[in-house]
Amino acid sequence: TYGKQQMNVKAKTGFVNQASGMMRLEEDVVVTSEEGQQLMTDTLHWDREADLVSTKDDVKIMDERFYAFGTGMEAKPGLQLAQLNKDVTMYVDTVPESEDDSLVTITCDGPVVIDQAQGKAVFEDNVVAVQANRTLKADVMELYFNEDMSTITSMICLGNVTIVQGENKTYAEKAVYNAQTQKLTLSGRPKLILQTEGDGGITSFRN
């Protein structure tokens, strides 16, 4: 039992301190939650008193809604709250039932905090998101999901925001995207650079 959930834990080797309740798992560690989410790593420490699992090794977190991997992790009960510490990559399918280019790939230096209870993921430091021919860069990116985290409802990007689509580029200090209205709002000296027709002409607009 982990928190209030039943967790299936597998590893080649396990050590348990009966007095402290500390557990260390080694080699091919796989933790599966009741909802089917999986965590995979080489070593895992379970501090029962602090209700915390952690590792300094490479780790993968997977379920049907997203796939994330990075180096170093701390997680709270049921993996509803997890922090990947560095060199993080996450794949999110924004419209799972769609055959279009709905897959978003997000990378950052880290950390990344995934809070499924709040339906939120926060990426920090050198964030790059790519979807089809669109690329978005920012210092910090906040993603907000619906209740079951199957759909992105909004996105907030902060600091040195750059949006590239084809030959066109947009710069701002903040970008807010509303998925329901499909509206992107830029603030903080937004600047738009358009590649125009003929001889590589460029048009620049600044607010």
Side-chain angles (χ1 to χ4, degrees):
T1 301
Y2 180 52
K4 295 182 180 180
Q5 290 201 43
Q6 295 292 323
M7 309 292 289
N8 186 301
V9 180
K10 296 181 180 179
K12 288 186 177 180
T13 307
F15 305 91
V16 180
N17 185 319
Q18 296 291 346
S20 65
M22 297 283 289
M23 179 186 296
R24 176 180 171 85
L25 304 172
E26 297 181 354
E27 295 187 75
D28 300 331
V29 181
V30 179
V31 180
T32 305
S33 72
E34 287 180 319
E35 289 78 14
Q37 186 182 83
Q38 284 193 325
L39 180 153
M40 293 176 286
T41 188
D42 290 330
T43 63
L44 193 69
H45 299 267
W46 181 4
D47 186 338
R48 184 174 299 177
E49 184 175 343
D51 203 15
L52 177 72
V53 293
S54 63
T55 181
K56 295 181 179 179
D57 296 323
D58 292 343
V59 62
K60 299 177 182 178
I61 299 176
M62 297 189 302
D63 69 9
E64 61 184 11
R65 296 156 293 190
F66 68 86
Y67 168 40
F69 60 91
T71 301
M73 179 216 68
E74 295 180 350
K76 284 291 187 178
L79 309 183
Q80 292 294 303
L81 177 64
Q83 174 176 299
L84 298 174
N85 294 333
K86 62 180 182 178
D87 301 329
V88 181
T89 299
M90 178 183 286
Y91 300 96
V92 181
D93 195 346
T94 56
V95 188
E97 68 276 9
S98 172
E99 297 181 358
D100 296 332
D101 296 322
S102 59
L103 184 67
V104 178
T105 303
I106 306 172
T107 61
C108 72
D109 294 342
V112 172
V113 176
I114 304 169
D115 188 341
Q116 294 195 60
Q118 299 295 323
K120 178 181 180 181
V122 181
F123 301 77
E124 295 187 28
D125 199 2
N126 193 28
V127 185
V128 180
V130 178
Q131 182 180 30
N133 69 333
R134 296 179 294 275
T135 300
L136 190 152
K137 301 178 181 180
D139 294 338
V140 177
M141 178 183 295
E142 300 176 357
L143 293 183
Y144 295 86
F145 299 84
N146 63 348
E147 187 173 349
D148 63 1
M149 290 196 73
S150 62
T151 304
I152 296 175
T153 58
S154 63
M155 174 183 68
I156 299 174
C157 300
L158 302 169
N160 299 303
V161 178
T162 302
I163 303 170
V164 179
Q165 185 164 0
E167 298 296 324
N168 302 327
K169 296 182 179 181
T170 303
Y171 302 92
E173 283 303 309
K174 182 178 181 180
V176 178
Y177 176 71
N178 185 309
Q180 182 175 3
T181 62
Q182 296 187 347
K183 181 180 180 181
L184 180 67
T185 303
L186 303 175
S187 59
R189 299 195 308 168
K191 179 181 179 181
L192 175 62
I193 299 178
L194 298 177
Q195 184 76 33
T196 58
E197 296 292 334
D199 299 325
I202 295 178
T203 301
S204 176
F205 300 92
R206 183 188 293 273
N207 187 359

